[in-house]
């Protein structure tokens, strides 16, 4: 690490910033110990000027603290410029998010030095169209990240709150999501009702925002954001109540199978996964649980359950982790789909998988040009270099940020560079910031949809709420085979909206889905 720091002109700090587990701010504030440790290490080792890029998600004003630590501990004559460059990629799609980001935020100090450093960092993103690189103040950039996650999670909590009303009234949440998503002021992303959101970011970042609001004595603001997390907890518990009710008000000694343990598909990450709450709630009813996940290793599942309050011996008496999905389902009273893995779905395949909810799905379904929103990365600009400047600085990356294993060629070459720079990255770059272009991407979804006729739109709705009958070619679960081994009546609880309930009912299953009226209605 010391040698990487020495060689680098520009250092990305992407260490973990989890929620504090003890002390003041426990369960809300970000634990910045890893961030401070990385900062101190850089200060200790750096022998020449460096640009430090705050990549981790941190509370507003962390850059100022970072600068104080750096300045108090650096070698004489060494200067640092701290930038904020929050990461917006999602797990499971990190490489495509990196290659084609909606925006890259660069927050800097307003000084000439800050502007130079920001310009230097912008050149690292050589493949990103210029207008998507947004320059702003350090504090705005830091807060934008927490704000974006809070707003995204708020949408999921909003749709999940509505899903409870749907179950109680007979409305269908998929139709509500579809209808609302067509309003371009609302849009279709993050409107899929589910058993609740998980992952290492949403809960942590909203709680960090709550703590920030409380520190600023803004208790109403804190309460508002806290309610987004509260609805998520409610949603996770609501499903358990429905399961108990459907299974004749007792789960004692029944076998319940949980399909999927990761917090979403295409990742083995289990941090804050809703499956943990499901296991806890169902175990409290004295039932037996079988778990199957295509990617999460068995020890990781035990570790999550123990870290979340379970005792290993007791857990092992009642929980079995399977490597074969049919064994997991065999003899089961009910199956709960907790993760939207494609292999569990019996819906029609779309280009992005059976449960996809994307503009290309909609455009394809209505016969419009599915590539309309695609902006070719080959047209990326941002290659101008001020006279006498370093075109790309030597870079070090500390920590994770879901760092993809395959990086764009320009980044690869930057990381592998092995010369030892004696120059200052701040001196050698131009001091003028590139102009701040208008932000935002104009989606053409709604206008494209309006070109389709009524029958095309009906097909689209069918695709969202039930599939179009096209059979899959993937290695997907054979629900007919599952049915042969289950106890009767056979229940399936779709926590992710990935199942075609009608097809399953033909096999004899009783199907309950989030936001769709069922036996309890
Ligand atoms: N996971 C994501 O998809 C994602 C997306 C956007 C932003 N973020 C943010 O990025 C940050 C990292 O998240 P993550 O999920 O990659 O975390 P992670 O826990 O998976 O990875 C963090 C890494 O940092 C290393 N580390 C800790 N202290 C260190 C130190 N002092 N020096 C060097 N390395 C150190 C750890 O060993 C670990 O490998 C967080 O602030 C998170 O909120 C994550
Ligand atoms: O309509 C939706 C969309 C997502 N989810 C769930 O929400 C959680 C988070 O999903 P997603 O946002 O896709 O994954 P993350 O990898 O957690 O990414 C979020 O958190 C990252 C870390 O801060 C940010 O960089 C990303 O922009 C932000 O989307 C998962 O449990 C999903 O199953 C839903 O229930 N309904």
């Amino acid at each position: 690490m010391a040698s990487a720091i020495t060689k680098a002109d520009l250092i990305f700090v992407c260490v973990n910033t989890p929620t504090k587990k003890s002390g003041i701010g426990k369960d809300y504030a970000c634990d910045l110990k890893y961030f401070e440790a990385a900062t101190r290490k850089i200060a200790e080792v750096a022998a020449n000027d460096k640009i430090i890029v705050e990549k981790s998600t941190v509370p507003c004003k962390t850059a100022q603290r970072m600068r104080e630590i750096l300045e108090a501990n650096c070698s004489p004559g060494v200067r640092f410029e701290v930038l904020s460059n929050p990461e917006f990629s999602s797990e499971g799609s990190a490489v495509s998010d990196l290659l084609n980001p909606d925006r890259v935020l660069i927050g800097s100090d307003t000084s000439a030095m800050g502007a130079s450093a920001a310009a230097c960092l912008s050149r690292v993103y050589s493949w990103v169209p210029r207008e998507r690189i947004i320059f702003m103040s350090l504090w705005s950039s830091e807060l934008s990240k927490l704000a974006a996650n809070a707003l995204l999670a708020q949408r999921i909590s909003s749709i999940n709150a509505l899903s409870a009303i749907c179950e109680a009234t007979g409305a269908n949440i998929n139709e509500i999501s579809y209808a609302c998503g067509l309003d371009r002021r609302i849009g279709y992303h993050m409107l899929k009702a589910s058993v609740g959101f998980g992952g290492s970011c949403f809960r942590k970042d909203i709680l960090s925002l709550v703590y920030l609001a409380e520190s600023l004595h803004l208790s109403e603001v804190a309460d508002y954001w806290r309610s987004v997390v509260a609805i998520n907890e409610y949603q996770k518990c609501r499903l358990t109540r429905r399961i108990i009710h459907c299974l004749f008000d007792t789960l004692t000694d029944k076998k319940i199978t949980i399909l999927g343990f990761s917090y979403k598909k295409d990742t083995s990450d289990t941090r804050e996964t809703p499956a943990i709450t499901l296991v806890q709630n169902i175990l409290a009813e004295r039932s037996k649980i079988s778990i199957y996940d295509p990617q999460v290793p068995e020890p990781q599942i035990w570790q999550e359950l123990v870290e979340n309050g379970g005792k290993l011996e007791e857990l092992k008496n009642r929980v079995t982790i399977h490597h074969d999905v049919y064994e997991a389902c065999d003899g089961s009273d009910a199956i709960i789909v907790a993760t939207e893995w494609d292999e569990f779905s019996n819906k029609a395949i779309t280009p992005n998988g059976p449960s996809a909810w994307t503009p290309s799905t909609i455009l394809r379904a209505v016969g419009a040009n599915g590539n309309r929103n695609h902006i070719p990365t080959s047209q990326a600009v941002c290659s101008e270099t001020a006279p006498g400047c370093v075109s790309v600085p030597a870079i070090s990356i500390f920590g994770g940020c879901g760092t993809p294993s395959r990086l764009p060629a320009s980044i690869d070459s930057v990381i592998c560079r092995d010369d030892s720079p004696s120059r200052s990255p701040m001196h050698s770059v131009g001091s003028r910031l590139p102009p701040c272009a208008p932000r935002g991407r104009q989606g053409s979804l709604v206008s494209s949809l309006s070109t389709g006729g009524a029958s095309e739109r009906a097909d689209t709705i069918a695709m969202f709420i039930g599939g179009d009958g096209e059979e899959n070619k993937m290695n997907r679960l054979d629900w007919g085979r599952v049915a042969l081994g289950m106890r009767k009546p056979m229940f399936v609880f779709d926590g992710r909206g990935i199942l075609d309930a009608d097809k399953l009912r033909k096999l004899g299953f009783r199907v309950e889905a989030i936001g769709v009226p069922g036996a309890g209605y």
Side-chain angles (χ1 to χ4, degrees):
M1 188 163 153
S3 107
I5 293 172
T6 306
K7 287 175 192 161
D9 295 325
L10 188 151
I11 300 173
F12 285 97
V13 180
C14 1
V15 301
N16 38 333
T17 51
T19 305
K20 271 183 88 174
K21 293 260 194 321
S22 62
I24 292 173
K26 173 180 181 289
D27 294 335
Y28 283 91
C30 256
D31 189 342
L32 292 169
K33 69 180 173 200
Y34 306 104
F35 204 78
E36 179 167 340
T39 307
R40 285 182 181 275
K41 185 76 184 172
I42 293 167
E44 178 197 319
V45 172
N48 62 330
D49 295 356
K50 313 263 181 219
I51 297 170
I52 313 298
V53 184
E54 181 190 75
K55 196 67 164 142
S56 300
T57 304
V58 289
C60 193
K61 294 265 175 178
T62 300
Q64 184 173 306
R65 290 165 187 167
M66 197 177 201
R67 190 180 292 147
E68 281 171 30
I69 294 167
L70 289 166
E71 286 172 359
N73 294 284
C74 64
S75 304
V78 174
R79 290 171 312 159
F80 296 98
E81 196 56 44
V82 179
L83 300 175
S84 161
N85 174 222
E87 180 54 55
F88 291 99
S89 64
S90 298
E91 291 194 27
S93 58
V95 173
S96 57
D97 293 344
L98 176 70
L99 292 176
N100 194 23
D102 283 347
R103 78 301 205 188
V104 171
L105 296 193
I106 301 183
S108 67
D109 195 47
T110 46
S111 64
M113 207 73 127
S116 290
C120 184
L121 175 58
S122 77
R123 278 195 276 280
V124 171
Y125 290 97
S126 60
W127 67 95
V128 178
R130 204 64 175 161
E131 69 277 9
R132 291 199 213 165
I133 300 184
I134 313 295
F135 297 91
M136 57 177 63
S137 81
L138 273 168
W139 322 136
S140 300
S141 174
E142 287 176 335
L143 190 55
S144 292
K145 172 64 195 187
L146 289 186
N149 271 4
L151 289 168
L152 291 171
Q154 179 215 47
R155 284 170 66 92
I156 302 171
S157 277
S158 298
I159 205 73
N160 284 344
L162 288 164
S163 76
I165 298 182
C166 286
E167 286 166 32
T169 58
N172 181 314
I173 197 64
N174 299 315
E175 290 170 342
I176 308 296
S177 295
Y178 178 70
C180 294
L182 286 179
D183 184 327
R184 85 178 75 196
R185 294 163 304 173
I186 299 172
Y188 43 84
H189 287 298
M190 311 303 270
L191 274 190
K192 198 156 175 39
S194 66
V195 58
F197 60 74
S200 62
C201 296
F202 279 173
R203 184 185 159 86
K204 159 177 90 74
D205 295 345
I206 298 171
L207 294 176
S208 172
L209 195 61
V210 169
Y211 188 71
L212 179 68
E214 273 175 349
S215 316
L216 298 167
H217 308 292
L218 304 170
S219 59
E220 288 85 355
V221 178
D223 288 346
Y224 176 77
W225 289 111
R226 196 185 277 113
S227 70
V228 172
V229 175
I231 287 287
N232 200 47
E233 295 307 312
Y234 162 76
Q235 187 74 353
K236 289 188 266 181
C237 295
R238 225 164 58 73
L239 181 61
T240 319
R241 279 200 292 276
R242 193 165 171 188
I243 294 166
I244 297 168
H245 177 67
C246 288
L247 271 82
F248 317 108
D249 286 319
T250 176
L251 298 187
T252 307
D253 290 332
K254 288 180 178 166
K255 175 176 170 179
I256 311 293
T257 299
I258 297 181
L259 295 186
F261 198 83
S262 59
Y263 79 97
K264 67 175 193 180
K265 73 171 183 177
D266 298 337
T267 175
S268 60
D269 199 331
T270 52
R271 290 177 284 184
E272 300 290 343
T273 179
I276 297 169
T277 312
L278 282 174
V279 171
Q280 289 169 335
N281 290 348
I282 292 167
L283 277 185
E285 300 295 322
R286 309 301 304 155
S287 43
K288 290 173 274 178
I289 296 183
S290 285
I291 300 173
Y292 167 82
D293 187 285
Q295 277 193 19
V296 182
E298 182 174 341
Q300 188 178 330
I301 297 178
W302 292 124
Q303 190 184 335
E304 280 291 2
L305 295 176
V306 169
E307 279 177 6
N308 282 281
K311 293 203 175 77
L312 194 58
E313 283 311 302
E314 288 173 21
L315 285 168
K316 287 200 167 174
N317 281 336
R318 296 218 156 248
V319 179
T320 313
I321 297 166
H322 294 267
H323 304 281
D324 181 283
V325 65
Y326 298 102
E327 272 177 24
C329 298
D330 199 39
S332 192
D333 292 272
I335 292 173
I336 307 166
V337 175
T339 310
E340 68 274 34
W341 286 106
D342 288 350
E343 73 172 74
F344 303 147
S345 177
N346 65 340
K347 277 191 181 176
I349 299 281
T350 71
N352 295 298
S355 55
W357 176 263
T358 66
S360 62
T361 317
I362 301 171
L363 296 176
R364 199 174 63 90
V366 297
N369 174 9
N371 287 327
R372 201 171 285 220
N373 283 338
H374 178 68
I375 301 167
T377 47
S378 59
Q379 286 173 16
V381 283
C382 191
S383 57
E384 73 187 65
T385 307
C389 293
V390 182
S391 58
V392 273
I395 295 173
S396 282
I397 299 177
F398 294 101
C401 273
T403 313
S405 50
R406 279 173 51 238
L407 292 160
S410 57
I411 287 279
D412 264 340
S413 61
V414 173
I415 288 172
C416 296
R417 225 176 85 163
D418 197 24
D419 54 354
S420 44
S422 54
R423 67 205 174 281
S424 157
M426 272 92 78
H427 279 149
S428 56
V429 295
S431 62
R432 274 191 316 126
L433 277 179
C436 193
R439 65 189 76 173
R441 193 173 55 170
Q442 295 300 313
S444 55
L445 169 65
V446 176
S447 55
S448 303
L449 274 172
S450 66
T451 61
S455 63
E456 286 170 324
R457 251 172 260 136
D459 287 349
T460 313
I461 297 176
M463 195 134 180
F464 279 119
I465 64 179
D468 63 2
E470 187 188 315
E471 284 310 321
N472 74 80
K473 314 264 185 301
M474 293 162 60
N475 188 19
R476 289 163 77 183
L477 185 61
D478 179 348
W479 284 93
R481 186 173 159 196
V482 170
L484 292 176
M486 279 185 72
R487 291 182 73 200
K488 310 290 181 297
M490 310 179 291
F491 285 94
V492 175
F493 296 88
D494 182 3
R496 293 295 186 166
I498 60 165
L499 297 177
D500 180 334
D502 288 339
K503 281 195 203 169
L504 288 180
R505 285 192 188 106
K506 284 182 192 147
L507 294 171
F509 287 100
R510 294 192 187 178
V511 184
E512 301 280 329
I514 303 283
V516 180
Y521 168 54

